[in-house]
Amino acid sequence: MEEMEHKLPEILPILPVRDSVIFPRMVVPLMIRDEEYVKLVDEVLQKDKLLVVSMIKDPEKTERPPEVFRVGTAGIIVKLTKAEEGTVLVVQGISRVAITEIVSDESYQKARIKELKDVEHTGKEIEAMMVNALNLFKQIIDLSPHLPPELVQLSRNVDQPGPLADMIISTLNLGRNKKQEILESLDVKDRLSKLMLFLNEELELQKMGKEIQDRVRKGIDKSQREYFLREQLKAIQKELGIDNEEPTEISELKERLKQKALPDQVREVAKKEIDRLSKMSPMSPEYTVSRTYLDWILDLPWREATEDTIDITKARKVLDKYHYNLEKVKKRILEYLAVRKLNPDHKGPILCFVGPPGTGKTSLGKAIAEAMGRKFVRISLGGVRDEAEIRGHRRTYVGALPGRIIQGIKKAGSNNPVFMLDEVDKLGMDFRGDPSSALLEVLDPEQNNSFSDHYLELEFDLSRVMFIATANQLDPIPSPLRDRMEIIELAGYTEDEKLEIATKFLIPRQISEHGLKRSQVKFRRSALRKIIREYTREAGLRNLEREIGAICRGVAKEVAEGKKGGFVISAEEVKKYLGKPKFTPDVAERTSVPGVAIGMAWTPTGGDILFIEATMMPGNKALVLTGQLGDVMKESAQAALSYLRSRAEELGISKDFYKDKDIHIHVPAGAIPKDGPSAGVTMLTALASLVTGKPVKRNLAMTGEVTLRGLVLPVGGIKEKVLAANRSGIKQIILPKENQNDLDEIPEKIRKQTTFHLVSRMDGVLEIALGLNHKGSTQQKNRKK
Ligand code: ADP
């Protein structure tokens, strides 16, 4: 700021101002509206442009001319602009002056003046005061948003204490009185102390103000933030297509609750849960958990039930509609239903269908449901090792759900469906708990009216559910479970039965499922036989149905491609649709060499034939067994070999046949697990055939256990075994004599096609199989006509 030396005249006009104090060196704009002062300014401008600016003592008073403070500032007009609202005058202060006397009182006042000089001080104290003042000033600027920070730098450049105080005070808006006080302080030390006092006061005020402001702002910020977030949330929900009107969701739930028939206790829980939900943020994870839980409660058929229509005649019709034959099974089902009809509260045993895959267990279940007018659901228990799969996980687990029972009930939509528990024989057990005990509770009529699922934590009444279990095998079913059940066995079908079922049921169904008309496709019987023999090897009908489906698919494709006319599937056509045969009837070829005998095995899938091959090679009397054989089977092989050695002479073979040799017994086609003693007869026959060099009779299969002394003991699974042998084209079968009664179960037709040899001793077996005739033969006696 440039220093100006002005020789001040003794008399100067006075410009009274309301609340500005002009300090020396400062440049200040002033607005003038009153006529007389405009005149004053005009006159001053004509002369030396000098005047005295002094503040009106009491701005409330309207007296003319106003009384002004006796200390003012002499200044020079540096600029003048006339604007609409008045004249804007820019004045630069020159020095403090005292008004000693008012000399003229015309339109404006003039005064005799005396220039006032600062009382200067130097030294540490003044310097410290300056630093202090600057500090305070800086803090104030930091706190006030409307003061430019450059002011600090500017004021640092002022090295004189008096002007520094003037500069600081003139930039701050501390009120007219304080400014006037500073103006009147001529002693710079005094001026600085006053300034510091004012600055301190101001700083306090500022701090308080900021605190108040902060507090206010925080309040605003928080509510604003929430507001913005909520708006964003709405936008996101809208984008996702979620109904963002949260209260609607709650009121919908309340409405659903109102409409739903529920036990009191359940209603109470649901009500509480809806209440809890309404207080949660829809974005929180708990919200989803609670919402899912409510959906489960509100979806489950607590009170929904179908009405039973047990009509035995109708049931008979339904069973016949879907199932060929199965007389015994149907009869037992009808009896069961009749008991139910007579005594609906009678909690009879649970039906359990046991049999190979594809024998109609599921479709029987469906037919029962249809006959009773009930819903049908089905869950698989195969591989279930965890109790929680039956009974659910507690809701504290992430993604917890009810167990399979409750899930099945929900799917059924009624609390009295026919509920099929598939594969009870495949139920596992491990450290996570025993699922079969949970299942027992489900099936126990004493307990299942209050089945508790871990997820629901509410009791569900299962007592009206009709459970039906299915299994491939009886043995692996835990016995407490088995005791609850009435076992109904389905053994599998013969080729002729399959032909019938295919013609009457499978083909019509597959044709319509592939969008074809009955008249469009015809299967020749020879074609069906070919499919059954060469493309499937099963007790049930699954693969047969699948292959028929594949042919229908092929036909449908040709129809879609525009091919017209009826399609007749002959045996030759089969290959075109199904490709190469999957099984070859290789029975005859394989038994044409010595050492190969055909056994029959019972398997969970309904029985199969197996080839036992014995070979001999140079070695050291070792017996090698291959083909994943179980221990019992290995023992049978040992027993067979021992028997053969002990009877060598009688059988007309060299006593030393075993010397310098290893014997290898192999059971190929390793897919079926091979254990059990029933292959003993077959192994012995294979060995005998090997050592005698005579091939086993063609198309002959056998089963039976042997003892070291050559007795043939009875074995199980005769029906399945015979059916399997028949499927493979076997014409003669050797069975233990004690299994004679099992022949009653064999379908008439197969009995006619097959010659059965019932034997009680190994000699008989060897005579039939190898034509070995020796002393003590009992062949004739044991042969069934
Ligand atoms: P499972 O449940 O025993 O494995 P499915 O019930 O699924 O067997 O039966 C397989 C197919 O065979 C189904 O299409 C079924 O309708 C049919 N089926 C089974 N047994 C018969 C039968 N006796 N008469 C007619 N169709 C049958």
Side-chain angles (χ1 to χ4, degrees):
M1 219 167 286
E2 150 201 15
E3 283 290 329
M4 281 177 292
E5 278 304 316
H6 288 278
K7 183 82 193 83
L8 294 178
E10 277 176 29
I11 294 174
L12 278 177
I14 299 173
L15 180 64
V17 290
R18 274 178 189 280
D19 44 24
S20 332
V21 175
I22 297 182
F23 288 90
R25 278 166 284 241
M26 304 296 138
V27 179
V28 179
L30 298 166
M31 166 76 85
I32 294 161
R33 286 198 189 86
D34 297 334
E35 257 327 294
E36 61 258 49
Y37 300 123
V38 173
K39 194 172 163 223
L40 177 154
V41 170
D42 283 344
E43 283 181 19
V44 167
L45 281 175
Q46 311 273 309
K47 297 201 297 180
D48 54 7
K49 300 180 186 170
L50 296 170
L51 43 64
V52 169
V53 178
S54 187
M55 206 155 57
I56 299 166
K57 261 192 174 165
D58 188 348
E60 303 293 311
K61 284 194 185 149
T62 50
E63 55 181 331
R64 292 271 157 167
E67 194 190 349
V68 295
F69 281 111
R70 283 303 160 127
V71 176
T73 310
I76 184 165
I77 298 172
V78 290
K79 200 173 171 192
L80 179 125
T81 326
K82 301 238 177 196
E84 234 173 82
E85 316 87 67
T87 302
V88 180
L89 195 63
V90 181
V91 178
Q92 176 166 32
I94 295 170
S95 72
R96 287 171 165 84
V97 291
I99 296 168
T100 49
E101 190 192 345
I102 307 288
V103 286
S104 116
D105 196 1
E106 304 158 19
S107 56
Y108 57 86
Q109 290 176 313
K110 280 186 183 167
R112 192 179 297 280
I113 53 152
K114 183 173 162 255
E115 200 176 342
L116 299 169
K117 293 270 179 236
D118 286 358
V119 182
E120 301 285 354
H121 290 273
T122 49
K124 286 270 180 272
E125 197 188 354
I126 290 289
E127 272 173 36
M129 288 170 90
M130 285 170 73
V131 170
N132 195 343
L134 270 170
N135 245 332
L136 290 166
F137 184 50
K138 182 176 183 297
Q139 289 181 50
I140 290 169
I141 285 178
D142 287 348
L143 287 175
S144 25
H146 47 269
L147 288 175
E150 298 86 72
L151 282 176
V152 180
Q153 198 48 51
L154 263 170
S155 51
R156 282 215 176 100
N157 291 340
V158 182
D159 53 359
Q160 298 291 312
L164 177 69
D166 290 351
M167 144 127 203
I168 290 175
I169 192 84
S170 64
T171 54
L172 295 175
N173 194 6
L174 300 184
R176 36 182 273 134
N177 292 337
K178 282 175 182 161
K179 285 188 174 171
Q180 188 62 31
E181 255 190 75
I182 295 290
L183 188 69
E184 288 177 13
S185 308
L186 297 183
D187 186 318
V188 295
K189 199 169 154 188
D190 183 38
R191 199 187 294 170
L192 273 175
S193 339
K194 278 203 174 108
L195 178 76
M196 272 152 47
L197 182 73
F198 296 157
L199 290 179
N200 265 315
E201 280 175 15
E202 176 65 13
L203 192 59
E204 280 312 302
L205 264 173
Q206 291 265 11
K207 279 186 185 163
M208 252 160 64
K210 185 159 165 35
E211 260 170 45
I212 292 167
Q213 259 201 349
D214 280 357
R215 242 176 292 151
V216 172
R217 178 171 310 126
K218 250 185 222 150
I220 293 172
D221 278 2
K222 189 157 176 275
S223 60
Q224 254 184 358
R225 231 174 87 85
E226 277 176 11
Y227 171 76
F228 282 133
L229 285 176
R230 219 165 277 136
E231 288 301 301
Q232 267 175 318
L233 176 66
K234 274 190 203 159
I236 291 169
Q237 285 177 330
K238 204 165 164 195
E239 193 70 19
L240 292 176
I242 300 169
D243 186 8
N244 58 28
E245 292 304 310
E246 178 210 19
T248 325
E249 195 172 352
I250 300 290
S251 63
E252 268 171 21
L253 285 169
K254 284 186 177 156
E255 189 56 31
R256 267 170 81 191
L257 180 62
K258 214 164 85 191
Q259 303 291 333
K260 180 94 180 167
L262 288 174
D264 291 346
Q265 187 211 357
V266 177
R267 183 176 303 283
E268 237 3 83
V269 170
K271 220 188 237 160
K272 280 210 189 102
E273 195 65 31
I274 294 178
D275 223 47
R276 235 166 62 81
L277 187 75
S278 67
K279 295 190 185 103
M280 287 185 221
S281 150
M283 293 309 279
S284 68
E286 300 91 31
Y287 187 91
T288 323
V289 172
S290 168
R291 181 65 226 247
T292 315
Y293 179 59
L294 272 165
D295 278 338
W296 271 100
I297 293 186
L298 294 172
D299 283 346
L300 276 175
W302 300 88
R303 288 278 154 88
E304 288 87 343
T306 52
E307 208 175 314
D308 280 356
T309 54
I310 305 184
D311 171 343
I312 301 300
T313 331
K314 182 187 155 206
R316 170 88 230 182
K317 273 195 193 129
V318 174
L319 286 174
D320 285 344
K321 183 166 122 201
Y322 298 111
H323 300 97
Y324 173 81
N325 216 352
L326 294 178
E327 276 315 312
K328 224 162 106 188
V329 174
K330 287 178 186 168
K331 202 171 140 236
R332 280 176 82 177
I333 291 174
L334 292 173
E335 281 165 10
Y336 182 91
L337 293 179
V339 173
R340 278 231 161 200
K341 186 181 164 76
L342 292 178
N343 186 0
D345 295 329
H346 173 74
K347 305 268 162 58
I350 282 133
L351 292 180
C352 179
F353 298 141
V354 179
T359 45
K361 300 183 293 297
T362 311
S363 62
L364 279 172
K366 283 186 187 156
I368 292 174
E370 187 178 325
M372 296 175 79
R374 289 189 176 205
K375 299 270 178 58
F376 178 80
V377 273
R378 165 175 177 228
I379 63 165
S380 174
L381 298 174
V384 167
R385 334 189 125 262
D386 188 349
E387 194 204 351
E389 296 207 38
I390 306 276
R391 216 193 255 292
H393 284 284
R394 303 207 177 273
R395 260 175 296 143
T396 43
Y397 281 86
V398 177
L401 279 180
R404 295 193 189 190
I405 300 294
I406 291 296
Q407 295 197 21
I409 293 288
K410 180 181 162 188
K411 206 156 78 184
S414 77
N415 65 13
N416 62 341
V418 170
F419 198 125
M420 188 164 255
L421 303 164
D422 267 342
E423 307 194 298
V424 277
D425 53 337
K426 307 234 167 53
L427 210 56
M429 191 212 287
D430 67 11
F431 61 95
R432 284 167 293 195
D434 179 0
S436 71
S437 69
L439 197 59
L440 268 180
E441 194 188 315
V442 169
L443 299 178
D444 184 353
E446 301 295 320
Q447 293 184 57
N448 70 6
N449 60 352
S450 58
F451 172 71
S452 80
D453 181 279
H454 288 328
Y455 177 85
L456 286 184
E457 287 177 329
L458 288 165
E459 288 175 352
F460 195 93
D461 182 359
L462 294 174
S463 62
R464 303 180 62 198
V465 177
M466 177 174 172
F467 288 104
I468 297 177
T470 80
N472 291 145
Q473 287 170 270
L474 203 49
D475 293 344
I477 305 176
S479 51
L481 212 54
R482 205 179 338 165
D483 294 346
R484 287 263 145 74
M485 306 193 293
E486 179 169 344
I487 308 294
I488 296 182
E489 281 182 273
L490 295 125
Y493 300 104
T494 64
E495 188 177 296
D496 289 319
E497 283 174 325
K498 285 183 184 177
L499 259 173
E500 280 313 307
I501 295 173
T503 313
K504 290 207 174 83
F505 300 89
L506 309 183
I507 293 173
R509 185 156 60 219
Q510 288 302 323
I511 286 178
S512 75
E513 267 179 27
H514 286 86
L516 299 166
K517 284 194 210 69
R518 284 265 195 117
S519 54
Q520 266 173 311
V521 203
K522 293 240 158 18
F523 283 76
R524 288 247 154 84
R525 279 180 94 78
S526 58
L528 283 173
R529 264 189 216 285
K530 193 175 167 78
I531 300 171
I532 295 168
R533 284 186 192 159
E534 298 179 25
Y535 293 84
T536 69
R537 187 185 276 178
E538 58 178 351
L541 299 156
R542 286 217 182 141
N543 293 326
L544 178 57
E545 185 163 16
R546 194 173 305 142
E547 299 296 347
I548 290 171
I551 290 179
C552 291
R553 197 158 53 242
V555 171
K557 188 170 155 253
E558 287 177 45
V559 170
E561 283 165 1
K563 199 167 163 200
K564 298 238 158 46
F567 290 77
V568 178
I569 312 297
S570 63
E572 293 76 54
E573 293 270 291
V574 170
K575 202 168 167 186
K576 180 179 130 199
Y577 291 103
L578 300 181
K580 271 215 246 93
K582 291 171 184 147
F583 305 98
T584 40
D586 55 353
V587 180
E589 299 137 48
R590 289 181 65 175
T591 49
S592 58
V593 290
V596 181
I598 303 172
M600 298 180 289
W602 181 88
T603 68
T605 53
D608 204 348
I609 58 164
L610 49 87
F611 294 85
I612 295 187
E613 301 173 353
T615 46
M616 208 155 30
M617 57 208 97
N620 194 19
K621 290 189 176 180
L623 176 62
V624 184
L625 295 150
T626 53
Q628 296 170 338
L629 309 182
D631 286 341
V632 181
M633 205 140 167
K634 284 178 185 164
E635 278 167 25
S636 299
Q638 281 291 349
L641 185 59
S642 301
Y643 171 79
L644 212 54
R645 286 169 68 194
S646 68
R647 300 291 301 267
E649 206 172 346
E650 287 163 58
L651 293 169
I653 45 178
S654 151
K655 243 184 129 107
D656 297 334
F657 76 91
Y658 197 32
K659 207 181 150 203
D660 307 324
K661 294 275 193 310
D662 280 349
I663 290 182
H664 181 185
I665 298 180
H666 179 62
V667 186
I672 23 174
K674 285 151 283 189
D675 202 6
S678 69
V681 166
T682 323
M683 292 210 228
L684 183 62
T685 306
L687 279 175
S689 162
L690 176 73
V691 297
T692 57
K694 295 186 177 203
V696 177
K697 187 185 266 174
R698 285 173 151 231
N699 296 327
L700 171 77
M702 59 199 77
T703 186
E705 183 178 351
V706 278
T707 68
L708 280 175
R709 294 178 48 235
L711 294 176
V712 175
L713 304 181
V715 293
I718 297 296
K719 184 179 177 192
E720 286 86 353
K721 287 175 176 174
V722 170
L723 292 184
N726 185 264
R727 283 199 289 278
S728 305
I730 297 292
K731 297 286 179 271
Q732 298 195 35
I733 292 176
I734 298 177
L735 295 176
K737 185 151 199 323
E738 285 179 56
N739 281 115
Q740 184 159 14
N741 288 341
D742 294 314
L743 287 181
D744 297 344
E745 288 195 27
I746 311 287
E748 181 71 34
K749 179 138 191 191
I750 291 184
R751 264 188 290 179
K752 280 200 183 124
Q753 289 171 348
T754 316
T755 312
F756 292 95
H757 305 277
L758 294 157
V759 297
S760 54
R761 299 189 53 84
M762 259 328 282
D763 307 345
V765 176
L766 296 181
E767 193 174 333
I768 296 159
L770 302 174
L772 289 178
N773 216 334
H774 55 275
K775 250 194 309 167
S777 160
T778 52
Q779 186 195 355
Q780 290 312 316
K781 209 169 74 193
N782 282 330
R783 183 151 181 185
K784 205 185 175 190
K785 42 107 213 165

